[in-house]
């Protein structure tokens, strides 16, 4: 007769596997969004109010003080209470309901900025929230020029930026850009209205170089290039603003240049290290760019002189020879 014990063990093991699978199944799963500070009530699926249930949060059981019948009650929820909540029937651990609680906030007014750094091709708008909401947000942007609604093409690399192509140059009609942010707890929006010319702002000049001028202890030669994003510097020339100061001082000196991409500083302090930056602006419209990356340079200084003349060498050799004194000689006498 076969031993019945192994069969009984298999039955018990199978039951454990079934219970485990039920407890970790994803049936009747939801996502529930709640505001920080709210009181939250969770219903155990279709279970009656007076049914015997067990609630867990991220695998940890709740005690009865959090229950009202089969309902789970959470008071004044905070961000740390986000997670997976599960309700099981009685002591059988049969999963009846599961939800993922996301605690967050409705969005505040978004920050919106529009700028043309490649005039006259077009402009871009970018946005962000001043404070996080801790839950997913969606953004919708509307651009209207007069009575025409325009398409804002999403940036390939930056998810919070889109681009508008100018269809009509030198237009006096204003642009109206509205950004709306929405999440599961609310929505908010902001609107900008502006002229085409008002948002022109080049990127900073590039490849700034500063070098000392040989035999000139108070001069530094500075050169730079137009920003590569500026498409047509011949038709839409840029002017530049140079600032510089020695590291030992806090006060900047400034020079505005109407043309060219170089300048010679003539009033530098001899031997002092300088910090130098350049900004750019369209000749007629818009605002100044941000400052370029700072570069450092020190004016030319004269190398210390070395003794190289024949007379100096002779004099030095003579002085060294005359100061040389041979050691005294000791005479040793043999005693015979």
């Amino acid at each position: 007769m076969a031993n019945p014990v192994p069969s009984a063990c298999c039955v018990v093991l199978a039951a454990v596997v079934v219970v485990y699978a039920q407890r970790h199944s994803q049936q009747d799963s939801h996502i529930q969004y709640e505001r920080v500070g709210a009181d939250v009530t969770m219903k155990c699926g279709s279970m009656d109010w007076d049914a015997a249930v067990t609630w867990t949060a991220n695998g940890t059981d709740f005690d009865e003080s959090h229950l009202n019948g089969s309902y789970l009650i959470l008071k004044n929820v905070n961000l740390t209470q986000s997670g997976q909540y599960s309700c099981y029937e009685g002591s059988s651990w049969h999963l009846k309901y599961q939800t993922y609680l996301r605690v967050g906030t409705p969005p505040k007014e978004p920050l919106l900025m529009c700028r043309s750094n490649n005039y006259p091709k077009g402009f871009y708008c970018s946005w962000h929230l001043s404070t996080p909401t801790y839950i997913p947000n969606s953004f919708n942007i509307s651009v209207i020029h007069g009575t025409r609604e325009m398409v804002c093409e999403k940036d390939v690399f930056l998810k919070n930026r889109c681009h508008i192509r100018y269809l009509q140059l030198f237009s006096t009609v204003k642009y109206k850009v509205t950004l709306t942010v929405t999440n599961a707890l609310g929505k908010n929006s902001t609107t900008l209205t502006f002229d085409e010319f008002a948002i022109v702002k080049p990127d900073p000049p590039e490849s700034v170089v500063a070098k000392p001028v040989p035999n000139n202890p108070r001069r530094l030669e500075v050169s730079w290039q137009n920003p590569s994003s500026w498409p047509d510097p011949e038709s839409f020339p840029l002017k530049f603003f140079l600032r510089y100061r020695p590291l030992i001082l806090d006060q900047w000196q400034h020079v505005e240049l109407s043309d060219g991409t170089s300048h010679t500083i003539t009033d530098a302090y001899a031997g002092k290290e300088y910090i130098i930056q350049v900004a750019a602006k369209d000749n007629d419209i818009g605002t100044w760019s941000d400052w370029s990356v700072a570069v450092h340079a020190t004016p030319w200084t004269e190398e210390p002189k070395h003794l190289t003349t024949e007379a100096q060498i002779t004099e030095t050799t003579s002085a060294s020879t005359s100061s040389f004194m041979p050691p005294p000689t000791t005479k040793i006498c043999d005693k015979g």
Side-chain angles (χ1 to χ4, degrees):
M1 183 176 178
N3 189 346
V5 174
S7 298
C9 290
C10 290
V11 171
V12 172
L13 180 60
V16 171
V17 171
V18 169
V19 170
Y20 181 86
Q22 288 176 336
R23 186 167 186 176
H24 291 80
S25 69
Q26 297 299 315
Q27 64 178 15
D28 202 13
S29 183
H30 305 272
I31 298 178
Q32 183 173 342
Y33 295 95
E34 299 289 348
R35 295 189 184 207
V36 172
D39 294 338
V40 178
T41 299
M42 293 186 188
K43 187 175 184 295
C44 185
S46 59
M47 297 290 287
D48 294 334
W49 176 84
D50 57 354
V53 300
T54 301
W55 280 91
T56 67
N58 299 321
T60 302
D61 295 355
F62 281 100
D63 59 47
E64 292 186 358
S65 65
H66 292 88
L67 301 182
N68 180 9
S70 62
Y71 292 4
L72 177 65
I73 309 298
L74 303 175
K75 296 287 188 181
N76 192 27
V77 293
N78 58 54
L79 296 174
T80 65
Q81 290 173 280
S82 293
Q84 184 171 279
Y85 288 72
S86 304
C87 177
Y88 302 91
E89 183 178 6
S91 59
S92 67
W93 288 105
H94 178 70
L95 180 63
K96 299 299 292 183
Y97 178 77
Q98 194 168 64
T99 186
Y100 197 94
L101 178 65
R102 299 288 300 269
V103 180
T105 62
K108 294 185 178 180
E109 183 177 336
L111 301 177
L112 175 65
M113 183 274 291
C114 295
R115 171 187 168 205
S116 176
N117 66 336
N118 62 347
Y119 191 81
K121 286 188 174 182
F123 66 92
Y124 69 85
C125 294
S126 60
W127 56 86
H128 68 276
L129 294 176
S130 58
T131 56
T133 64
Y134 306 102
I135 60 175
N137 304 293
S138 62
F139 294 88
N140 180 66
I141 190 164
S142 165
V143 181
I144 297 177
H145 186 224
T147 59
R148 174 185 295 177
E149 186 167 0
M150 307 184 71
V151 176
C152 200
E153 301 174 2
K154 292 297 180 68
D155 191 281
V156 175
F157 303 105
L158 301 174
K159 65 180 181 180
N160 65 330
R161 177 181 291 190
C162 66
H163 300 263
I164 293 289
R165 299 181 186 277
Y166 283 135
L167 300 179
Q168 179 185 358
L169 282 181
F170 313 121
S171 172
T172 58
V173 178
K174 293 183 180 295
Y175 287 84
K176 181 180 179 181
V177 180
T178 301
L179 176 71
T180 302
V181 55
T182 306
N183 66 23
L185 301 177
K187 64 189 299 184
N188 216 321
S189 64
T190 189
T191 297
L192 294 180
T193 303
F194 52 83
D195 292 310
E196 171 185 310
F197 302 134
I199 61 169
V200 175
K201 180 182 177 181
D203 288 328
E206 301 172 359
S207 304
V208 181
V209 177
K211 297 180 179 179
V213 178
N215 301 312
N216 286 274
R218 301 201 64 192
R219 296 194 173 200
L220 289 169
E221 188 71 36
V222 186
S223 62
W224 58 90
Q225 295 180 6
N226 288 311
S228 56
S229 55
W230 195 252
D232 191 359
E234 292 188 3
S235 302
F236 297 89
L238 296 173
K239 59 182 178 180
F240 301 96
F241 205 58
L242 179 77
R243 72 174 185 177
Y244 59 97
R245 66 175 177 84
L247 292 183
I248 60 172
L249 299 178
D250 294 329
Q251 186 175 359
W252 294 92
Q253 293 173 274
H254 301 89
V255 179
E256 185 169 340
L257 306 165
S258 59
D259 58 1
T261 55
S262 65
H263 177 72
T264 301
I265 297 172
T266 59
D267 57 352
Y269 290 110
K272 301 300 181 182
E273 182 180 355
Y274 271 73
I275 181 172
I276 301 158
Q277 291 177 290
V278 188
K281 180 185 176 299
D282 181 272
N283 255 340
D284 302 312
I285 59 176
T287 57
W288 287 98
S289 73
D290 296 333
W291 291 108
S292 67
V293 174
V295 297
H296 293 249
T298 303
W300 173 86
T301 54
E302 186 176 3
E303 294 291 336
K305 295 182 178 180
H306 300 284
L307 299 175
T308 57
T309 65
E310 184 176 346
Q312 290 171 323
I313 294 174
T314 302
E315 182 180 348
T316 303
T317 304
S318 175
S320 300
T321 303
S322 62
S323 62
F324 177 76
M325 297 292 292
T329 301
T330 303
K331 184 175 181 180
I332 300 175
C333 298
D334 294 333
K335 293 181 179 179

